[in-house]
Amino acid sequence: MKSVLYAIVPGSSPSGGGVLFLISTASPVVKFVLLMLLLFSVVSWAIIIFKLVEYARARKESSRFLEYFRKSKNFSDINAFAAAKKNNPLATIFKQGFRELSVQMRPEDTRPVLNSETIHRSLMLASNAEITRFERLNGFLATTASVTPFIGLFGTV
């Protein structure tokens, strides 16, 4: 009862009523809730910073690839350039499309027939794979954003 009185009456605590005093006199459940919220916060900020760096790097690498793509006239050169680029979304999509195009234009065929539908499907699959790769960890952020207010509300009750 004494610690509750300290928390209610301003200036009545022996240590001046600071945040650390309030935390030290809190119940184990409140300490657990605070620890859980702190953990969610630290992990969320780490993911946010990681995602910002990842998106910035992808944007920079994609613009370099696009510049090379527009300057070059030969798909084989572009494919060699793309092969050297790791974690580049546009290069990855191009490599998948080029691979499908190479399969359709085998040298043993005297007159290759290009099927644009399979090339389009291959590009869509590569694009979806890149989107999935970039959306990784976003679910954790969404869940954290929707759940932590309720955890905080529980802590206040």
Side-chain angles (χ1 to χ4, degrees):
M1 183 66 176
K2 207 173 196 180
S3 65
V4 173
L5 184 60
Y6 288 144
I8 295 174
V9 180
S12 64
S13 70
S15 67
V19 175
L20 292 178
F21 174 75
L22 291 174
I23 292 172
S24 68
T25 59
S27 71
V29 174
V30 173
K31 288 179 183 177
F32 176 72
V33 168
L34 286 173
L35 182 66
M36 197 165 35
L37 289 173
L38 179 68
L39 179 69
F40 275 123
S41 178
V42 168
V43 171
S44 294
W45 278 108
I47 291 172
I48 289 168
I49 291 169
F50 170 75
K51 289 304 220 177
L52 286 173
V53 169
E54 184 182 36
Y55 292 153
R57 186 180 304 134
R59 189 176 299 115
K60 183 179 174 185
E61 290 295 322
S62 291
S63 93
R64 281 185 189 160
F65 175 78
L66 202 53
E67 184 180 317
Y68 188 85
F69 180 83
R70 288 181 177 147
K71 286 181 182 178
S72 182
K73 303 288 185 225
N74 187 349
F75 277 175
S76 297
D77 292 342
I78 298 170
N79 189 47
F81 181 78
K85 300 294 180 187
K86 301 287 185 213
N87 296 326
N88 185 332
L90 287 182
T92 304
I93 294 169
F94 175 83
K95 287 187 289 189
Q96 187 67 28
F98 184 77
R99 186 178 304 125
E100 180 61 36
L101 188 63
S102 297
V103 166
Q104 289 187 21
M105 297 187 67
R106 291 177 291 235
E108 61 267 6
D109 293 342
T110 55
R111 189 169 169 195
V113 178
L114 294 178
N115 185 347
S116 64
E117 184 63 33
T118 58
I119 295 172
H120 182 265
R121 192 174 318 131
S122 175
L123 291 171
M124 288 302 294
L125 285 172
S127 175
N128 288 338
E130 287 300 304
I131 289 170
T132 301
R133 184 173 70 88
F134 277 103
E135 286 180 346
R136 143 191 86 161
L137 300 176
N138 287 357
F140 178 83
L141 290 176
T143 302
T144 300
S146 62
V147 169
T148 50
F150 296 110
I151 295 172
L153 183 62
F154 171 74
T156 60
V157 173

